[in-house]
Amino acid sequence: MASKIPGSRVLDEAFKQTTRAIAVPPNHPLALAFATKFMAEAISNGVLRKAFDNSSLKDQPIRTQTK
C-alpha cells in the first residue's frame, strides 16, 4: 500500500499499536468537519464506548486527543 502513496514509508518496527483511527484526505475541510463532529457525538453519547466494549476492548480508554 505504501508504494501507492507518494512520500510514504513503512517503518521496520512498530512504535505504537493503533486499533482504530479515522483518516480524511488532506485539503478536504468538510470531510474533516464531518469526522470530527461524528466522533465527538459518538464519544459523548456512549456509542464509541459501547462499540469498544462489544469488540473486546473494554480495557481500552477512549482517547479524545486529535492530531
Side-chain angles (χ1 to χ4, degrees):
M1 181 173 176
S3 63
K4 295 179 182 180
I5 303 172
S8 66
R9 60 191 174 111
V10 177
L11 302 176
D12 291 332
E13 297 180 25
F15 65 94
K16 179 181 175 186
Q17 290 183 331
T18 302
T19 57
R20 60 258 173 239
I22 291 181
V24 296
N27 302 316
H28 284 77
L30 293 177
L32 179 58
F34 175 85
T36 301
K37 182 179 177 191
F38 174 83
M39 287 308 299
E41 289 176 0
I43 291 168
S44 68
N45 66 20
V47 168
L48 188 59
R49 176 77 268 158
K50 185 175 180 180
F52 274 34
D53 294 350
N54 290 339
S55 301
S56 301
L57 298 171
K58 291 182 184 217
D59 296 330
Q60 294 293 313
I62 302 295
R63 295 201 168 98
T64 59
Q65 190 174 31
T66 60
K67 290 193 176 199

